[in-house]
Amino acid sequence: MIEVADLRKSYGRFDAVSGVSFTVGRGEILGFLGPNGAGKTTTMRILTGFMPATSGRATVAGYDVFKSPLQAKRSVGYLPESPPVYPDLDVTSFLDFCARIKGVKSADRKSKIDRAIEKARLGEVRSKIIGRLSKGYRQRVGIAQAILADPPVLILDEPTAGLDPKQIIETRELIKSLGGDHTIILSTHILPEVSMTCQRVVIISKGRVVAEDTPENLTARLSSKGAVRLEVRADIRVAFDALREVEGIVTVNPRGNNSGHTVLELQAEEGVDIRAATARAIIGAQIDLLSLTQVSLSLEDVFLELTTKDSVAISEVAPAAIFTPIVPSEPQPSADPPPDPPSPVENAGPKETN
Amino acid sequence: MSTFTNIGAIVRKEWQHYFRSPIAYTALFTWNVLFAVFFQFALTYFLEASMNPGGGMGGPPKPNINEWIFRPTLMNMAVVALFVAPMLTMRLFAEEQRQGTWELLATSPITDWQIVLGKFFGAVSVYALMIATSLLNFAVIFYYADPRPEWKPVLTGALALLLMGSCFIALGAFLSTLTKNQIVAGILSFCLFLAIWTLSWLDNPMSSDPVKVLAYLGVTNHMDDMVKGVLDSKDIIFYLSFIGFGLFLTQQSVESRRWRE
């Protein structure tokens, strides 16, 4: 449905996008992940025909965006980073204008507007002036505008940015419900968002694709690199001694120590969950356990890892390894320790591509 | 034809912007008040001249209504158009840029030309409404004057005013594409219109050829004949080419912005 091949966009010497390639199948939801300035918006703007690429090829629904821009644009609904709404129009007349310029037939206009208003849950504000609506509603007007003409492809640039948590959840639900009928690319820099809504993820950094994977694989990769943060009320030496018994710990890094509180970061072997065993060992040594949490790598760490040649593990950043257990361990029994932190990613959408 | 539908959609939207904001009302009000003032002055002069005992039999010919009232009023309004046109054009593209709605237009299945023409006709139609409402002032004369004045010069004069203002609107639209800030666009437009207007002062028989060329570009000169009731194709062609050139610059600027973005 969407094919991007070796796309490049240069501003003088600076390459905003340098050789991005990916494809998106029909009905698929692709997450486009990257820090600010990675080239997400630029890539999306090229796909929507907002601006031409310096070189490379992009086709949307079979139309080349450079050679047949009008057909390509007719197949795409686009929500830019800030919703493109006229503050002086009311919601219905704005959508009516959009329907006209998007070439919706006059006979279908009313029903399509009603459908978009219903899907974006704008019913109660349909005759309000957009300038008086909250940010969340404006964002929804932007989404309504994108889905209005029922295009096969939707390109959503940070659809949840600036929304409150409830609105974020609603917007994600809406996007998920649009998948299947529509092929969707959505950009974000929020990792859980991708795992909740997308079937595939393209990570882009400094204008290049640095990883392309399913959210499941990506998360697995992350949690295996994750560390456990432990806070105990004990002297650091005492805590070390207790942890000596736990299998699967590779390194222990002190992260803070004041007035009897010790914070440690434990690096586990890949694929080993050390939380339960750690909790037992600490309790068993009569030490007060204050907290025990899985430290999932932040997106910045992922980028750091994906964009530099040598992966940077936490232990290398702060090489204060105290000891290494001699016996390599097996996976721990999965008894739940009392302060069980939720796993960083709860659900990943069904993985199905045509 | 989808071309006309698209242009129509833009015109319709521009009207909504003009009439949901104070712009249209301010422009209509200013225009009509100034028109009434100039009309009143012209009428007073005319009445004084008619009362002049020197007039009548044997003396100088009786003052003519077309010459004494309609013509000066319309010529004065040409100068007013110079002030009012930036009000109509400064926001055309600058505001779309600032609001981020340009991204909506630029990614919709509609060509740059359709956007440019839609915006141009949107502004021109508001301007035409201004002229139409103000012409009601003349209705009084047609009702009471005896003998009836000629109506043809009024129509050609109104057409001249419309064409001349459209030149300003086309040029103002172009200047609005150059910036995100509509105040900047407005000031630039006003200065340029003023400069173009002063070009017409250069028009006198004594001036050298290059100066005559410059004077030729002064848009108000070309109104003279039309206001007198003479429709000359060279004036019409001048105005239409001027408008065409302004719109071409606008479209080029819009398109080049895609490459610069």
Side-chain angles (χ1 to χ4, degrees):
Chain A
M1 209 59 180
I2 300 171
E3 274 177 55
V4 175
D6 200 26
L7 211 60
R8 227 168 266 276
K9 176 76 188 177
S10 322
Y11 296 96
R13 288 243 184 98
F14 170 69
D15 283 359
V17 174
S18 44
V20 166
S21 307
F22 60 87
T23 58
V24 193
R26 184 181 294 273
E28 198 180 5
I29 305 182
L30 177 85
F32 212 47
L33 202 64
N36 293 331
K40 288 174 297 184
T41 299
T42 307
T43 309
M44 291 180 140
R45 284 180 159 183
I46 293 170
L47 277 175
T48 53
F50 181 68
M51 56 181 171
T54 310
S55 70
R57 209 168 55 86
T59 55
V60 173
Y63 297 107
D64 189 305
V65 296
F66 313 121
K67 287 177 191 149
S68 26
L70 291 186
Q71 285 94 329
K73 285 175 187 175
R74 210 163 280 141
S75 332
V76 177
Y78 174 42
L79 173 69
E81 217 167 337
S82 59
V85 292
Y86 293 103
D88 49 348
L89 301 188
D90 63 82
V91 173
T92 310
S93 27
F94 172 69
L95 292 177
D96 181 74
F97 166 67
C98 294
R100 285 166 196 266
I101 58 168
K102 284 167 192 281
V104 175
K105 289 197 199 79
S106 54
D108 302 345
R109 210 177 286 148
K110 200 181 171 306
S111 63
K112 292 232 170 169
I113 292 172
D114 286 342
R115 185 182 138 273
I117 284 179
E118 188 200 332
K119 280 214 174 184
R121 283 186 302 274
L122 286 165
E124 62 213 63
V125 298
R126 60 184 301 158
S127 48
K128 289 233 167 82
I129 302 287
I130 297 175
R132 303 213 183 108
L133 296 180
S134 66
K135 168 85 174 104
Y137 270 122
R138 275 186 226 193
Q139 188 77 8
R140 287 197 218 167
V141 175
I143 293 176
Q145 162 275 126
I147 61 178
L148 182 64
D150 209 7
V153 175
L154 290 177
I155 294 183
L156 312 172
D157 197 352
E158 299 195 8
T160 58
L163 300 183
D164 71 31
K166 186 166 167 280
Q167 294 165 335
I168 290 180
I169 293 168
E170 286 174 357
T171 309
R172 282 180 194 155
E173 293 296 321
L174 173 65
I175 294 169
K176 257 171 119 169
S177 74
L178 292 170
D181 296 339
H182 304 263
T183 304
I184 302 177
I185 298 186
L186 83 98
S187 83
T188 177
H189 46 232
I190 308 162
L191 197 53
E193 183 156 298
V194 166
S195 26
M196 277 176 224
T197 45
C198 305
Q199 290 138 14
R200 212 150 49 80
V201 181
V202 166
I203 296 184
I204 178 169
S205 170
K206 296 192 184 114
R208 283 170 201 286
V209 174
V210 290
E212 190 180 343
D213 218 330
T214 60
E216 291 92 332
N217 291 349
L218 194 73
T219 332
R221 206 156 144 186
L222 290 182
S223 51
S224 68
K225 296 275 196 241
V228 171
R229 196 178 185 86
L230 176 70
E231 191 181 354
V232 292
R233 187 175 302 155
D235 186 69
I236 191 161
R237 282 284 145 204
V238 181
F240 279 157
D241 287 340
L243 291 172
R244 214 175 279 278
E245 309 302 322
V246 183
E247 290 178 350
I249 294 180
V250 181
T251 57
V252 176
N253 301 317
R255 281 283 181 262
N257 183 11
N258 61 338
S259 60
H261 279 239
T262 300
V263 179
L264 298 169
E265 201 157 273
L266 316 178
Q267 186 71 47
E269 272 176 47
E270 207 162 314
V272 179
D273 189 351
I274 55 165
R275 285 171 299 175
T278 305
R280 265 188 311 230
I282 295 291
I283 306 277
Q286 305 287 319
I287 300 173
D288 291 343
L289 175 62
L290 298 177
S291 74
L292 178 71
T293 39
Q294 179 93 47
V295 184
S296 52
L297 286 186
S298 64
L299 194 57
E300 287 72 24
D301 296 322
V302 182
F303 284 112
L304 206 60
E305 193 200 312
L306 288 168
T307 50
T308 52
K309 277 271 157 55
D310 317 306
S311 69
V312 181
I314 285 168
S315 56
E316 290 163 25
V317 176
I322 308 292
F323 69 90
T324 310
I326 307 138
V327 195
S329 67
E330 284 158 39
Q332 297 294 320
S334 59
D336 283 344
D340 193 7
S343 108
V345 169
E346 277 149 329
N347 102 37
K351 177 181 172 278
E352 195 192 320
T353 342
N354 299 340
Chain B
M1 275 276 290
S2 74
T3 309
F4 293 114
T5 327
N6 289 344
I7 294 176
I10 303 279
V11 171
R12 200 168 167 276
K13 181 200 73 123
E14 293 304 324
W15 268 63
Q16 287 177 330
H17 290 317
Y18 283 127
F19 285 94
R20 278 166 193 254
S21 71
I23 300 176
Y25 306 104
T26 314
L28 278 164
F29 177 78
T30 323
W31 178 270
N32 276 291
V33 166
L34 290 172
F35 194 100
V37 168
F38 288 128
F39 173 60
Q40 179 64 43
F41 284 156
L43 190 62
T44 314
Y45 289 141
F46 169 75
L47 291 176
E48 278 171 10
S50 326
M51 304 294 182
N52 195 335
M57 289 292 203
K62 249 192 136 179
N64 168 293
I65 293 185
N66 282 81
E67 215 170 286
W68 279 75
I69 300 182
F70 298 157
R71 208 184 293 168
T73 309
L74 290 175
M75 286 310 279
N76 283 337
M77 289 319 281
V79 182
V80 178
L82 186 155
F83 290 88
V84 175
M87 271 166 77
L88 296 179
T89 59
M90 61 189 214
R91 46 157 292 282
L92 281 181
F93 290 91
E95 196 167 57
E96 303 270 4
Q97 276 281 84
R98 193 184 51 78
Q99 283 172 353
T101 43
W102 180 249
E103 220 160 334
L104 171 69
L105 296 181
T107 58
S108 293
I110 167 170
T111 64
D112 290 349
W113 265 117
Q114 289 164 358
I115 299 173
V116 169
L117 288 175
K119 284 180 171 285
F120 171 73
F121 286 124
V124 165
S125 52
V126 174
Y127 176 61
L129 181 70
M130 284 155 54
I131 296 177
T133 50
S134 60
L135 286 182
L136 291 175
N137 285 293
F138 290 167
V140 183
I141 304 282
F142 279 95
Y143 189 77
Y144 288 111
D146 185 31
R148 285 267 162 87
E150 286 179 77
W151 57 270
K152 271 188 191 152
V154 176
L155 277 193
T156 53
L159 178 67
L161 205 52
L162 181 69
L163 284 172
M164 194 223 56
S166 302
C167 292
F168 286 152
I169 289 172
L171 218 50
F174 164 62
L175 292 173
S176 181
T177 62
L178 299 181
T179 168
K180 270 187 190 180
N181 187 324
Q182 47 168 314
I183 304 297
V184 172
I187 292 170
L188 280 180
S189 312
F190 179 65
C191 294
L192 184 68
F193 297 168
L194 211 58
I196 289 176
W197 179 57
T198 56
L199 287 182
S200 45
W201 298 349
L202 300 171
D203 190 27
N204 68 64
M206 308 293 283
S207 49
S208 63
D209 284 350
V211 175
K212 274 189 180 142
V213 171
L214 275 180
Y216 181 75
L217 292 174
V219 286
T220 37
N221 293 349
H222 298 265
M223 282 182 70
D224 294 343
D225 285 343
M226 288 169 87
V227 171
K228 284 176 195 154
V230 182
L231 262 187
D232 190 339
S233 58
K234 82 173 195 303
D235 293 326
I236 307 268
I237 288 171
F238 169 81
Y239 281 131
L240 291 183
S241 352
F242 199 108
I243 293 167
F245 180 66
L247 294 178
F248 173 74
L249 285 181
T250 314
Q251 188 270 344
Q252 289 294 305
S253 170
V254 164
E255 191 176 298
S256 81
R257 201 162 62 192
R258 285 183 195 254
W259 294 89
R260 277 182 281 127
E261 208 103 35

